[in-house]
């Protein structure tokens, strides 16, 4: 796959994660509300982080369908791998597929 | 943004078994080293640590709290901190209200209520001190943006904390950051995506496209991919049991010759991470970088196949099984069999290699297989070595790291050694080497090979081998399992240089330090400060798996076993190998220049054993000129060994010793560009200077 495409995908993912982890007013209010309600509120609504994660998975799926599948690749959501790696599976066409995790720097960088 | 992890090679040299123990990551300009966790099978993210009580890695590990009987990490630190605060406030409140009550009923001190209140006050007052102390401590931590682990291990004593956001930012982060969900989720149904065979492939201008793939150790999902030349060469991982993470790899689509790679590598300040190696498309580098990889690289130009075989033998596993199969055929399967001639020898190469790499830390791998592999590789190498000096060089690269590798690896390395030395000596030495002798031979061979590879390939490189070993050992137990040839070459060079420096500097250090340093260095575990590798429980070098304890005890094992691990992957050697791996590496590197294959092997072994071997080395005359010729000649093992070893060993030992002290060797080990700050028993943080 072209390097540019992959880079762009990773960059977008990174930006999503940055957004998810942004410390802001909304996250603070969510925390306070949760604390005040003894965290029962978590049964009803999902946190901002989870919202962003959903967005990310949607994005990845879309990327997979549009860009990676035609090239025989498949991106796996990092969250499924514990936010450690960005996994790219290579379709071998022989029934075997290899997957190689790419660096997990993206998650690290976002976390940091 | 880069998909690849920028990993410094120098740390990964000592990869134990197909997985570099450390992988560097750059955070805000500061190099942070990620350690491979054997239990959890991945590279721990920064600030992550393995908790022995909970037996898993915890992100942003703070500590394990006995009061709540749980680990405090990223997601619950906030609540823990708030708990401490509220508890302190509560205690203060209880105490003060009790005091008011007692004072109010001063006249009835003997009354029931008053007495009870006084008792409660006493208890509150008693527990007030430690709780307040802890609360205050954590308040300081929050303000500084550190975890308890980091504070205790003194990681940031130098004052450089890459994770801090400033005082206010830290407080804000602790209290107001969004709560991340759990990572352990129910497996959801993944969206199905259709994949059609006709794939669009981007044009490759030239095969020189380099793709770095870094594994974070997700070998579970890794499957060996057969496509070699495909760009996708994302490389399959081995289908075998999860392997230790493969070091980053550089896939060179085009046969960049090793020379080019080497040159480029050498040009770099730091060679790619241990995992990185460039493999030729034909090989389809495997994520698992074996130490041989470096060797491979060199070979490629000459003859892929041949080299592949050689390498395959050693590295084998990563590459496709096909090349392995081919190569081992010629290889002298019979030859090596001292280790364990496995029926699958040739076939195993690819598999075994994998297995070897997998093995690193995976107990599940079949030992037999793994071991089989190494022997095969060894055997193959000898044959190959004959015909291509390059291969030898490759081997050397791998060999240098072999010493660090576990015994399992050692067979592979041994193979390499053999290959390098290209001498039949290996052949004969392997068959009749008793287990005890094996290691000696191995070391010799290894050294020889190491030396050999360099000599034929590049004379200056030969020295490099040693340096990397020395270097690697010192800073950390990192090992390269799957280093590609190119990487190996670069590493070797670096090592040589370092080794030279070290030898000069470290002359006179006791060897024992080496072990100590190994243990201490590689721990990323927080909570195990100053536990010199002996305690590795959670920390044992990932690749090594069983080896961690070996550091401390490896010596003993080594002695007992008397096997040179690096070459062979015998199960016995495994644990010894780890320790040996370390030591032998250094020795081997130094030795490799010597070329005496036998000597090298010996040289290596002695180095590890340190005390054990030292007497052996001593007799060697330093005067031995290291020339490839030696390697090829059938030198008596011991004699050759002596020659090469003696001068080197001294140097190596010192180098190894240096390793013992984390701080010391770390800085020298690095190219000197970065300053390594190591905490006590903690992870090493490199700060570029």
């Amino acid at each position: 796959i072209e390097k540019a495409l992959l880079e762009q995908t990773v960059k977008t993912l990174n930006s999503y994660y940055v957004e998810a982890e942004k410390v802001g007013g909304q996250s603070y209010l969510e925390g306070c509300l949760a604390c005040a309600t003894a965290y029962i509120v978590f049964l009803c609504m999902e946190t901002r982080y989870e919202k962003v994660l959903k967005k990310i998975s949607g994005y990845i799926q879309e990327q997979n369908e549009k860009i990676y599948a035609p090239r025989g690749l498949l991106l796996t959501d990092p969250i499924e791998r514990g936010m450690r790696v960005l996994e790219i599976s290579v379709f071998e066409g022989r029934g075997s597929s290899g997957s190689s995790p790419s660096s997990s720097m993206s998650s690290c960088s976002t976390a940091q | 943004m880069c998909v690849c992890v920028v990993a410094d090679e120098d740390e990964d040299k000592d990869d134990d078994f197909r997985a570099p123990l450390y992988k560097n990551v750059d955070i805000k300009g500061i190099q942070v080293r990620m350690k491979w966790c054997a239990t959890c099978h991945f590279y721990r993210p920064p600030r992550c640590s393995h908790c022995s009580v909970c037996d898993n890695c915890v992100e942003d590990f703070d500590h394990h709290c006995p009061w709540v009987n749980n680990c405090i990490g990223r997601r619950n630190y906030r609540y823990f901190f708030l708990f401490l605060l509220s508890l302190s406030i509560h205690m203060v409140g209880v105490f003060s209200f009790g005091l008011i009550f007692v004072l109010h009923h001063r006249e009835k001190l003997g009354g029931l209520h008053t007495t009870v209140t006084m008792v409660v006050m006493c208890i509150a007052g008693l527990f007030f001190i430690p709780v307040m102390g802890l609360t205050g401590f954590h308040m300081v931590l929050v303000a500084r943006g550190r975890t308890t682990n980091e504070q205790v291990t003194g990681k940031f004593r130098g004052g450089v904390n890459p994770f801090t956001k400033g005082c206010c930012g830290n407080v804000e982060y602790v209290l107001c950051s969004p709560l991340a969900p759990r990572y352990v989720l129910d497996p959801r149904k993944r969206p199905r995506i259709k994949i059609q065979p006709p794939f669009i492939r981007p044009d490759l201008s030239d095969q020189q496209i380099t793709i770095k793939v870094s594994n974070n150790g997700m070998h579970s999902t890794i499957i060996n991919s057969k496509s070699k030349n495909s760009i996708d060469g994302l490389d399959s991982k081995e289908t075998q049991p999860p392997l230790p993470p493969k070091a980053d790899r550089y896939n060179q689509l085009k046969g960049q010759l090793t020379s080019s790679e080497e040159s480029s590598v050498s040009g770099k300040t730091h060679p790619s991470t241990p995992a990185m190696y460039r493999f030729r498309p034909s090989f389809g580098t495997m994520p698992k970088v074996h130490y041989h990889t470096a060797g491979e690289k060199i070979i490629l130009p000459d003859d892929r196949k041949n080299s592949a075989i050689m390498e395959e033998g050693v590295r084998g596993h990563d590459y496709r099984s096909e090349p392995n199969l081919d190569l081992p055929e010629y290889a002298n399967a019979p030859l090596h069999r001292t280790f364990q001639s496995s029926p699958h020898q040739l076939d195993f190469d690819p598999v075994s290699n994998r297995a070897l790499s997998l093995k690193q830390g995976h107990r599940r791998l079949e030992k037999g297989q793994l071991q089989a592999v190494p022997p095969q590789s060894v055997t193959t190498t000898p044959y190959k070595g004959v015909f291509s000096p390059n291969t030898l060089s490759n081997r050397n690269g791998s060999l240098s790291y072999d010493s660090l590798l576990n015994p399992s690896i050692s067979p592979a390395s041994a193979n390499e050694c053999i290959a390098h030395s290209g001498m039949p000596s290996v052949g004969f030495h392997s068959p009749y080497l008793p287990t005890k002798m094996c290691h000696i031979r191995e070391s010799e061979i290894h050294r020889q090979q190491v030396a050999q590879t360099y000599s034929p390939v590049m004379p200056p490189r030969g020295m490099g081998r040693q340096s990397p070993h020395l270097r690697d050992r010192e800073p950390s137990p990192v090992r390269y399992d799957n280093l590609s040839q190119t990487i190996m070459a670069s590493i070797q060079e670096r090592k040589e240089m370092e080794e030279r420096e070290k030898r000069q500097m470290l002359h006179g250090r006791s060897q024992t330090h080496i072990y100590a340093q190994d243990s201490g260095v590689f721990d990323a575990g927080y909570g195990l400060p100053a536990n010199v590798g002996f305690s590795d429980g959670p920390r044992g070098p990932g690749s090594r798996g069983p080896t961690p304890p070996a550091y401390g005890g490896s010596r003993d094992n080594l002695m007992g076993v008397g096997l040179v691990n690096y070459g062979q992957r015998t199960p016995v050697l495994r644990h010894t190998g780890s320790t040996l791996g370390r030591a032998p590496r250094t020795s081997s590197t130094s030795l490799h220049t010597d070329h005496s294959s036998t000597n090298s092997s010996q040289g290596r072994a002695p180095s590890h054993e340190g005390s054990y071997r030292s007497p052996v080395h001593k007799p060697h005359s330093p005067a031995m000129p290291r020339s490839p010729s030696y390697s090829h000649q059938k030198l008596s093992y011991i004699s050759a060994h002596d020659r090469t070893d003696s001068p080197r060993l001294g140097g190596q030992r010192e180098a190894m010793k240096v390793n013992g002290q984390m701080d010391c060797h770390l800085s020298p080990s690095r190219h000197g560009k970065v300053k390594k700050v190591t905490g006590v028993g903690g992870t090493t943080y490199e700060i570029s200077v």
Side-chain angles (χ1 to χ4, degrees), chain A residues 27 84-85 97 99 101 103 112, chain B residues 3 5 42 163 176 214 216 221:
Chain A
S27 60
R84 295 177 287 125
V85 296
S97 70
S99 74
S103 85
Q112 305 304 333
Chain B
V3 174
V5 172
F42 74 121
F163 306 107
C176 314
S214 53
N216 200 25
T221 55

Side-chain angles (χ1 to χ4, degrees), chain B residues 63-98:
Chain B
H63 68 284
H64 182 92
C65 182
W67 306 105
V68 300
N69 194 25
N70 201 350
C71 279
I72 307 298
R74 181 169 151 217
R75 292 176 68 236
N76 57 2
Y77 184 74
R78 175 181 340 159
Y79 307 116
F80 177 75
F81 183 65
L82 291 177
F83 164 69
L84 278 184
L85 282 179
S86 58
L87 186 63
S88 304
I89 296 172
H90 180 71
M91 286 179 90
V92 168
V94 164
F95 189 85
S96 58
F97 282 119

Side-chain angles (χ1 to χ4, degrees), chain A:
Chain A
I1 192 170
E2 291 90 351
K3 184 178 172 193
L5 279 179
L6 190 62
E7 275 185 8
Q8 201 249 329
T9 303
V10 177
K11 277 200 179 95
T12 315
L13 282 177
N14 277 345
S15 70
Y16 277 133
Y17 285 120
V18 165
E19 179 199 340
E21 300 209 2
K22 198 164 69 73
V23 179
Q26 186 190 353
S27 60
Y28 177 69
L29 287 178
E30 272 180 2
C32 285
L33 180 67
C35 182
T37 65
Y39 303 102
I40 298 175
V41 72
F42 282 139
L43 295 172
C44 309
M45 86 170 201
E46 57 184 27
T47 71
R48 167 209 172 102
Y49 204 98
E50 284 167 7
K51 290 193 183 103
V52 176
L53 283 184
K54 274 209 177 138
K55 209 159 66 160
I56 288 173
S57 67
Y59 171 76
I60 285 183
Q61 186 174 355
E62 172 215 343
Q63 288 279 299
N64 271 336
E65 284 169 7
K66 285 187 349 194
I67 299 178
Y68 293 91
R71 286 172 177 73
L73 303 173
L74 184 71
L75 280 182
T76 309
D77 199 344
I79 191 68
E80 291 181 24
R81 295 283 171 252
M83 304 290 268
R84 295 177 287 125
V85 296
L86 179 68
E87 193 176 310
I88 303 176
S89 304
V90 180
F91 184 68
E92 292 292 333
R94 270 182 269 169
S96 69
S97 70
S99 74
S100 54
S102 27
S103 85
S104 56
M105 282 315 296
S106 62
S107 46
C108 288
S109 56
T110 52
Q112 305 304 333

Side-chain angles (χ1 to χ4, degrees), chain B residues 448-460:
Chain B
Q448 281 180 342
Q449 293 180 349
V450 174
Q452 290 175 357
T453 54
Y454 287 105
S455 56
V457 176
M458 355 200 234

Side-chain angles (χ1 to χ4, degrees), chain B residues 621-643:
Chain B
S621 57
M624 285 289 282
R626 311 275 186 210
S627 57
S629 57
Y630 274 112
S631 56
H632 297 281
Q633 298 160 11
K634 308 212 182 164
L635 300 172
S636 61
Y637 299 104
I638 311 277
S639 58
H641 174 71
D642 296 341
R643 286 179 289 193

